[in-house]
Amino acid sequence: MTEAHPDHSGQSITIQRVDPILDSGVTVICPAQQPDGRLPDRHSAYHDNISPPLTWTNVPDVKSWAVIVEDPDAPQDEPFVHWMIWNIPGEVVRLPEGLANAPFTERPVAVQGRNGHHGYGWFGPRPPAGHGVHRYYFQVFALNDLIEMGPDTELKDLLNALKATTIASGEMAATYEAPTAQ
């Protein structure tokens, strides 16, 4: 007997579980995002699977940043984690395209956790064929400290650290749908 999966995750994404210290938000932009909100194919796991570029606005007193990308439309109990990266230095307000999928990055220096496909770093959109358009939430957290956790940290533990250190946060959504057979 196969295990039944829900059509969509029933859980909220990380940003909905964190209450920032400041009311001001962080504006998040993906320069590669198409005008209709879609991520280009090169960022999907169906194609090149390279991390997209990301920029955000600065806030006062930030010591480090964390970024989490989740898909709440995944047919599983929890949102699918596409990316967890933290301890991005406070003066950095952008991530370049194509960061290496490794536990640690060099430019910028940061820690990357495991994605829902069990690898480190970015795992691009790969919604099931015929499942429709999925939403990908790029969540950016301005932190008042570093998070002293390694790359094998689970999202629930990172969430608890974010609850204790988030000054401000922001998000943007992108979409992607499985390619159709030609």
Side-chain angles (χ1 to χ4, degrees), residues 10 12 17-18 26 105 111 116 124 128 142 175-176:
S12 57
R17 300 176 189 187
V18 176
V26 175
T105 62
V111 178
T175 60
Y176 195 82

Side-chain angles (χ1 to χ4, degrees), residues 12-21 66 68 141-144 147 149 155-167:
S12 57
I13 59 175
T14 301
I15 202 166
Q16 295 168 330
R17 300 176 189 187
V18 176
D19 188 20
I21 295 168
I68 298 174
F141 301 88
L143 310 177
N144 62 13
I147 295 175
M149 295 179 170
L155 177 59
K156 64 182 170 81
D157 297 321
L158 184 58
L159 169 62
N160 287 331
L162 293 174
K163 287 179 179 181
T165 58
T166 299
I167 299 170

